Coordinates of all heavy atoms in Angstrom, one line a residue:
Chain P
Y223 N -9.6 -13.2 -7.3 CA -10.4 -13.1 -8.6 C -11.0 -14.4 -8.9 O -10.5 -15.5 -8.7 CB -9.4 -12.7 -9.7 CG -8.9 -11.2 -9.6 CD1 -7.9 -10.9 -8.8 CD2 -9.5 -10.2 -10.4 CE1 -7.4 -9.6 -8.7 CE2 -9.1 -8.9 -10.3 CZ -8.0 -8.6 -9.5 OH -7.6 -7.3 -9.4
Q225 N -12.3 -16.6 -12.2 CA -12.2 -16.6 -13.6 C -13.1 -17.7 -14.2 O -13.1 -18.9 -13.8 CB -10.7 -17.0 -14.0 CG -10.5 -16.9 -15.5 CD -9.1 -17.1 -16.0 OE1 -8.3 -17.7 -15.3 NE2 -8.8 -16.5 -17.1
Q229 N -17.3 -14.8 -18.2 CA -17.1 -13.5 -17.5 C -15.6 -13.1 -17.4 O -15.4 -11.9 -16.9 CB -17.7 -13.5 -16.1 CG -19.2 -13.7 -16.1 CD -19.9 -12.6 -16.9 OE1 -19.6 -11.4 -16.7 NE2 -20.9 -13.0 -17.7
L231 N -12.0 -12.5 -15.9 CA -11.4 -12.3 -14.5 C -12.3 -11.3 -13.8 O -12.3 -10.1 -14.2 CB -10.0 -11.9 -14.6 CG -9.0 -13.0 -14.9 CD1 -7.8 -12.4 -15.6 CD2 -8.5 -13.7 -13.6
F233 N -13.1 -9.4 -10.1 CA -12.5 -9.1 -8.8 C -13.5 -9.4 -7.7 O -14.6 -9.1 -7.7 CB -12.2 -7.6 -8.7 CG -11.7 -7.1 -7.4 CD1 -10.4 -7.3 -7.0 CD2 -12.6 -6.4 -6.6 CE1 -10.0 -6.8 -5.7 CE2 -12.2 -5.9 -5.3 CZ -10.8 -6.1 -4.9
R243 N -10.0 -4.0 2.0 CA -10.0 -2.6 1.5 C -10.9 -2.4 0.3 O -11.3 -1.2 0.0 CB -8.6 -2.2 1.0 CG -7.6 -2.1 2.2 CD -6.3 -1.3 1.8 NE -5.5 -2.1 0.8 CZ -4.3 -1.8 0.5 NH1 -3.7 -0.8 1.1 NH2 -3.6 -2.4 -0.5
N244 N -11.2 -3.4 -0.4 CA -12.1 -3.3 -1.6 C -12.8 -4.6 -1.8 O -12.3 -5.7 -1.5 CB -11.3 -2.9 -2.8 CG -12.1 -2.2 -3.8 OD1 -13.3 -2.2 -3.8 ND2 -11.4 -1.6 -4.8
G285 N -0.2 -3.3 -2.7 CA -1.5 -3.3 -3.3 C -1.8 -2.0 -4.1 O -2.7 -2.0 -4.9
L286 N -1.0 -1.0 -3.9 CA -1.2 0.2 -4.6 C -0.5 0.1 -6.0 O 0.6 0.4 -6.3 CB -0.5 1.4 -3.9 CG -1.2 1.8 -2.6 CD1 -0.4 2.8 -1.8 CD2 -2.6 2.4 -2.9
L287 N -1.4 -0.4 -6.9 CA -0.8 -0.9 -8.2 C -0.3 0.3 -9.1 O 0.4 0.0 -10.1 CB -1.9 -1.7 -9.0 CG -2.4 -2.9 -8.2 CD1 -3.6 -3.5 -8.9 CD2 -1.3 -3.9 -8.0
D288 N -0.7 1.5 -8.8 CA -0.3 2.6 -9.7 C 1.0 3.2 -9.2 O 1.5 4.2 -9.7 CB -1.3 3.6 -9.8 CG -1.6 4.3 -8.5 OD1 -1.3 3.7 -7.4 OD2 -2.1 5.5 -8.5
S289 N 1.6 2.7 -8.1 CA 2.8 3.3 -7.6 C 4.0 2.3 -7.5 O 3.8 1.1 -7.3 CB 2.5 3.9 -6.2 OG 2.3 2.8 -5.3
G290 N 5.1 2.9 -7.7 CA 6.4 2.1 -7.6 C 6.4 0.9 -8.5 O 6.0 1.0 -9.6
N292 N 4.9 -1.9 -7.8 CA 3.9 -2.9 -7.4 C 3.2 -3.5 -8.6 O 2.8 -2.9 -9.5 CB 2.8 -2.1 -6.6 CG 3.1 -2.0 -5.1 OD1 3.1 -2.9 -4.4 ND2 3.4 -0.8 -4.7
V293 N 3.2 -4.8 -8.6 CA 2.5 -5.6 -9.6 C 1.8 -6.7 -9.0 O 2.2 -7.2 -7.9 CB 3.5 -6.1 -10.7 CG1 4.2 -5.0 -11.4 CG2 4.5 -7.1 -10.1
L294 N 0.8 -7.2 -9.6 CA 0.0 -8.3 -9.1 C 0.7 -9.6 -9.7 O 0.9 -9.8 -10.9 CB -1.4 -8.3 -9.7 CG -2.5 -7.6 -8.8 CD1 -3.8 -7.8 -9.5 CD2 -2.5 -8.1 -7.4
F296 N 0.1 -13.7 -9.7 CA -1.0 -14.6 -9.4 C -0.5 -16.0 -9.0 O 0.6 -16.4 -9.4 CB -1.8 -14.9 -10.7 CG -2.8 -13.7 -11.0 CD1 -2.4 -12.7 -11.8 CD2 -4.1 -13.7 -10.5 CE1 -3.3 -11.6 -12.1 CE2 -5.0 -12.7 -10.8 CZ -4.5 -11.7 -11.6
G297 N -1.3 -16.7 -8.2 CA -1.1 -18.1 -7.9 C -1.7 -18.9 -9.1 O -2.2 -18.4 -10.0
A298 N -1.5 -20.3 -8.9 CA -2.0 -21.2 -9.9 C -3.5 -21.4 -9.9 O -4.0 -21.9 -10.9 CB -1.2 -22.5 -9.8
Chain J
N243 N -4.0 5.1 -14.4 CA -2.6 5.4 -14.7 C -1.7 4.2 -14.6 O -0.5 4.4 -14.6 CB -2.2 6.5 -13.8 CG -2.4 6.1 -12.3 OD1 -2.7 5.0 -12.0 ND2 -2.2 7.1 -11.4
Y244 N -2.2 3.0 -14.7 CA -1.4 1.9 -14.7 C -2.1 0.8 -15.6 O -3.3 0.5 -15.4 CB -1.2 1.3 -13.3 CG -0.5 0.0 -13.2 CD1 0.8 -0.1 -13.6 CD2 -1.2 -1.1 -12.7 CE1 1.4 -1.4 -13.6 CE2 -0.5 -2.4 -12.7 CZ 0.8 -2.5 -13.1 OH 1.4 -3.7 -13.1
Y248 N -1.3 -9.3 -19.2 CA -1.1 -10.6 -18.6 C -1.2 -11.6 -19.8 O -2.1 -11.5 -20.6 CB -2.0 -11.0 -17.5 CG -1.7 -10.3 -16.2 CD1 -2.1 -9.0 -15.9 CD2 -0.9 -10.9 -15.2 CE1 -1.7 -8.3 -14.8 CE2 -0.6 -10.3 -14.0 CZ -1.0 -9.0 -13.8 OH -0.7 -8.4 -12.6
Q250 N -1.8 -15.7 -20.3 CA -2.2 -16.9 -19.6 C -2.2 -18.1 -20.6 O -3.0 -18.2 -21.5 CB -3.6 -16.8 -19.0 CG -4.0 -18.0 -18.2 CD -5.4 -17.8 -17.4 OE1 -6.2 -17.1 -17.9 NE2 -5.5 -18.4 -16.3
G253 N -4.2 -23.7 -19.0 CA -4.1 -24.4 -17.7 C -3.1 -23.8 -16.8 O -2.7 -24.4 -15.8
R255 N -1.4 -20.1 -14.8 CA -1.8 -18.8 -14.1 C -1.5 -17.6 -15.1 O -0.6 -17.7 -15.9 CB -1.0 -18.6 -12.8 CG 0.5 -18.3 -13.1 CD 1.3 -18.4 -11.8 NE 1.5 -19.8 -11.4 CZ 1.9 -20.2 -10.2 NH1 2.2 -19.3 -9.2 NH2 2.1 -21.5 -9.9
P256 N -2.2 -16.6 -14.9 CA -1.9 -15.3 -15.7 C -0.5 -14.8 -15.2 O -0.3 -14.8 -14.0 CB -3.0 -14.4 -15.3 CG -4.1 -15.2 -14.7 CD -3.4 -16.4 -14.1
L258 N 2.3 -11.6 -15.7 CA 2.5 -10.3 -16.2 C 3.6 -10.3 -17.2 O 4.7 -10.9 -17.0 CB 2.9 -9.3 -15.0 CG 3.3 -7.9 -15.4 CD1 2.0 -7.2 -15.7 CD2 4.0 -7.2 -14.3
D261 N 4.0 -3.9 -18.5 CA 3.0 -2.9 -18.0 C 3.5 -1.5 -18.4 O 4.7 -1.3 -18.7 CB 2.8 -3.1 -16.5 CG 4.0 -2.9 -15.7 OD1 5.1 -2.5 -16.2 OD2 4.0 -3.3 -14.5
R263 N 3.0 2.7 -17.2 CA 2.4 3.7 -16.3 C 2.2 5.0 -17.1 O 2.9 5.3 -18.0 CB 3.2 3.9 -15.0 CG 3.3 2.6 -14.3 CD 4.1 2.6 -13.0 NE 4.4 1.2 -12.5 CZ 3.6 0.6 -11.7 NH1 2.5 1.2 -11.2 NH2 3.9 -0.6 -11.3
F301 N -4.6 -10.8 -21.5 CA -5.5 -9.9 -20.9 C -4.9 -8.5 -20.6 O -3.8 -8.4 -20.2 CB -5.9 -10.4 -19.5 CG -6.7 -11.7 -19.5 CD1 -6.0 -12.9 -19.4 CD2 -8.1 -11.7 -19.6 CE1 -6.8 -14.1 -19.4 CE2 -8.8 -12.9 -19.7 CZ -8.1 -14.1 -19.6
S309 N -9.6 3.4 -6.5 CA -9.2 2.2 -5.8 C -8.1 1.5 -6.7 O -8.4 0.6 -7.5 CB -10.4 1.2 -5.7 OG -9.9 0.0 -5.2
N310 N -6.9 1.9 -6.4 CA -5.8 1.3 -7.2 C -5.4 -0.1 -6.7 O -4.4 -0.6 -7.0 CB -4.6 2.2 -7.2 CG -4.9 3.4 -8.1 OD1 -5.2 3.3 -9.2 ND2 -4.7 4.6 -7.5
Y311 N -6.2 -0.6 -5.8 CA -6.0 -2.0 -5.3 C -6.7 -3.0 -6.2 O -6.5 -4.2 -6.0 CB -6.5 -2.1 -3.9 CG -6.2 -0.9 -3.0 CD1 -7.2 -0.3 -2.3 CD2 -4.9 -0.5 -2.8 CE1 -7.0 0.7 -1.4 CE2 -4.7 0.6 -2.0 CZ -5.7 1.2 -1.3 OH -5.4 2.3 -0.5
K312 N -7.5 -2.6 -7.1 CA -8.3 -3.5 -7.9 C -8.1 -3.3 -9.3 O -8.0 -2.1 -9.8 CB -9.8 -3.2 -7.6 CG -10.7 -3.9 -8.5 CD -12.2 -3.4 -8.4 CE -13.0 -3.9 -9.6 NZ -14.4 -3.4 -9.5
L313 N -7.9 -4.4 -10.1 CA -7.8 -4.3 -11.5 C -9.0 -4.8 -12.2 O -9.6 -5.8 -11.7 CB -6.6 -5.2 -12.0 CG -5.2 -4.7 -11.7 CD1 -4.2 -5.7 -12.3 CD2 -5.0 -3.3 -12.4
F315 N -10.3 -6.3 -15.6 CA -9.6 -6.9 -16.8 C -10.5 -6.9 -18.0 O -11.7 -6.9 -17.9 CB -9.3 -8.4 -16.4 CG -8.2 -8.6 -15.5 CD1 -8.3 -8.5 -14.2 CD2 -6.9 -8.9 -16.1 CE1 -7.2 -8.7 -13.3 CE2 -5.8 -9.1 -15.2 CZ -6.0 -9.0 -13.9
K317 N -11.8 -8.9 -21.5 CA -12.3 -10.2 -21.6 C -11.3 -11.2 -22.1 O -11.5 -12.4 -22.1 CB -13.5 -10.3 -22.5 CG -14.7 -9.5 -21.9 CD -15.3 -10.2 -20.7 CE -16.7 -9.6 -20.3 NZ -17.1 -10.1 -19.1

Side-chain angles (χ1 to χ4, degrees):
Chain P
Y223 288 80
Q225 185 174 28
Q229 297 299 317
L231 284 151
F233 174 80
R243 292 195 294 194
N244 204 347
L286 289 169
L287 300 173
D288 66 334
S289 70
N292 276 291
V293 297
L294 270 186
F296 284 90
Chain J
N243 53 11
Y244 173 63
Y248 284 83
Q250 187 175 29
R255 71 192 74 192
L258 179 73
D261 59 12
R263 298 178 192 272
F301 294 94
S309 174
N310 288 308
Y311 317 127
K312 169 191 170 182
L313 286 179
F315 284 84
K317 294 291 189 189

